[in-house]
């Protein structure tokens, strides 16, 4: 089961989105058309198949405007569903529910879309031993939610920010004067719990990087023959780094990349290019 995110992380995002939508005076349409005190039962229903993520966003959005609302999830984050599936049922003050509708749908659709795309990548590499990971290419302010959605789809989380792992990239190498020197400095600075990863763009850099003893080597935009060669070069080492392929990965190429023997494939598209899943709010009989 996927661990839930604490409300403490989700609630500020939901409240900011509600404030953006409600503006200066709130939902003028609901006030004009809906009698005060009217109640509404409704369901958040999937128009397409997918994977659930972000169900707590519905609860927090609705209850922010109606603390007495009844919000009943019909699935759990990480569950697959078919088109027509009910994700959440709600009974609430009608004005409040309609005012919260778009915020709830925007977040739910976005996160289900990420989980659904992630699941497609995970299924594409099934049986190869490679794992699918996300990146920091997330929507500003939504990183915790979007990375949670990746977990819901069966993927792995890469580092969350600049503070939880050392990742040496090309510009770090340029300033340090070489891959080997950059890795040496990183190893000297890293605490015993801090991982060191280094990005390389060729096999010459790869050999120099591996000699420095990083925990992970990122193979950036390597061709399939280059990936196979990198795997072969560390195969017999008693302690070898994790090999991560990255760069230009898509659903057409990911299976071939996984077949080279790399351990992890990082895919920025999981969060920066996932389409929102089509979900709607349908009124139910009272």
């Amino acid at each position: 089961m996927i661990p839930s995110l604490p409300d403490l992380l989700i609630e500020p995002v939901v409240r900011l989105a509600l404030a953006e939508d409600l503006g200066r005076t709130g939902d003028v349409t609901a006030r004009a058309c809906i009698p005060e005190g009217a109640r509404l039962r409704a369901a958040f229903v999937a128009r397409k198949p997918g994977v659930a993520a972000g169900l707590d966003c519905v609860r927090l959005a609705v209850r922010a405007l109606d603390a007495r609302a009844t919000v009943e999830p019909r699935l759990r984050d990480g569950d697959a569903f078919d088109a027509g599936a009910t994700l959440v049922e709600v009974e609430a003050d009608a004005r409040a529910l309609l005012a919260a509708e778009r915020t709830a749908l925007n977040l739910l659709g976005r996160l289900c879309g990420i989980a659904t795309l992630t699941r497609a990548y995970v299924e594409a590499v099934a049986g190869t031993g490679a794992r699918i990971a996300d990146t920091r290419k997330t929507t500003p302010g939504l990183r915790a939610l979007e990375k949670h959605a990746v977990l819901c789809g069966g993927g792995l989380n890469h580092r969350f920010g600049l503070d939880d792992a050392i990742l040496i990239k090309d510009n770090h190498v340029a300033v340090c004067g070489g891959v080997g020197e950059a890795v040496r400095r990183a190893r000297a600075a890293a605490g015993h719990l801090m991982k060191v990863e280094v990005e390389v763009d060729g096999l010459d850099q790869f050999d120099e990087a591996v000699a420095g003893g990083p925990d992970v080597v990122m193979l950036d935009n390597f061709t399939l023959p280059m990936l196979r060669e990198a795997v072969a070069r560390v195969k017999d080492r008693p302690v070898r780094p994790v090999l991560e392929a990255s760069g230009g990965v898509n659903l057409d190429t990911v299976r071939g990349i996984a077949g080279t023997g790399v351990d992890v494939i990082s895919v920025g598209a999981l969060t920066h290019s996932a389409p929102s899943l089509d979900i709607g709010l349908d009124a139910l009989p009272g």
Side-chain angles (χ1 to χ4, degrees):
M1 186 169 64
I2 308 298
S4 297
L5 285 176
D7 287 356
L8 186 66
L9 280 177
I10 309 173
E11 195 165 10
V13 175
V14 170
R15 289 190 175 275
L16 183 62
L18 285 170
E20 180 180 59
D21 213 20
L22 292 169
R24 294 168 298 171
T25 59
D27 186 354
V28 295
T29 308
R31 279 208 310 274
C33 300
I34 306 298
E36 185 175 1
R39 306 293 289 179
L40 175 63
R41 287 185 63 240
F44 288 82
V45 179
R47 308 299 190 218
K48 293 183 177 181
V51 177
L55 298 177
D56 284 334
C57 294
V58 175
R59 170 177 57 82
L60 291 170
V62 174
R63 288 188 177 163
L65 302 184
D66 178 8
R68 297 180 302 157
T70 300
V71 182
E72 299 179 347
R74 297 306 184 200
L75 298 171
R76 296 180 300 183
D77 278 3
D79 287 347
F81 54 80
D82 296 324
T86 294
L87 278 61
V88 185
E89 287 190 14
V90 179
E91 192 274 331
D93 176 90
R95 288 182 177 181
L97 178 52
L98 294 174
E101 174 184 358
R102 178 45 52 196
T103 291
L105 285 172
N106 283 351
L107 290 170
L108 186 60
R110 171 70 179 151
L111 299 178
C112 287
I114 291 171
T116 301
L117 182 60
T118 302
R119 184 67 55 85
Y121 273 91
V122 169
E123 291 176 349
V125 302
T128 66
R131 302 289 301 275
I132 298 297
D134 56 25
T135 70
R136 285 169 46 243
K137 295 176 182 178
T138 54
T139 307
L142 295 183
R143 180 168 295 170
L145 292 175
E146 292 182 347
K147 282 182 170 284
H148 171 74
V150 169
L151 293 180
C152 292
L156 300 174
N157 288 152
H158 213 286
R159 60 178 182 160
F160 272 75
L162 296 171
D163 61 337
D164 60 348
I166 294 175
L167 175 46
I168 302 164
K169 297 180 73 68
D170 54 353
N171 288 326
H172 300 104
V173 170
V175 174
C176 289
V179 169
E181 177 62 14
V183 175
R184 186 194 66 77
R185 293 182 188 182
R187 287 259 64 116
H192 68 290
L193 295 179
M194 180 69 70
K195 296 285 189 179
V196 175
E197 178 171 11
V198 57
E199 176 189 83
V200 299
D201 57 17
L203 290 169
D204 53 343
Q205 276 195 328
F206 176 75
D207 291 335
E208 186 180 354
V210 170
D215 300 292
V216 186
V217 180
M218 180 187 293
L219 311 169
D220 187 44
N221 286 301
F222 273 39
T223 64
L224 295 184
M226 290 169 66
L227 289 172
R228 284 190 285 268
E229 177 61 22
V231 170
R233 290 187 184 188
V234 298
K235 181 179 179 182
D236 296 326
R237 293 176 68 96
V239 179
R240 74 169 187 86
V242 171
L243 298 185
E244 173 188 336
S246 72
V249 182
N250 58 55
L251 282 170
D252 293 327
T253 62
V254 70
R255 180 81 185 183
I257 294 169
T260 65
V262 296
D263 304 294
V264 177
I265 304 170
S266 54
V267 186
L270 300 182
T271 51
H272 72 57
S273 295
S276 290
L277 199 73
D278 190 1
I279 301 170
L281 181 68
D282 296 339
L284 299 173

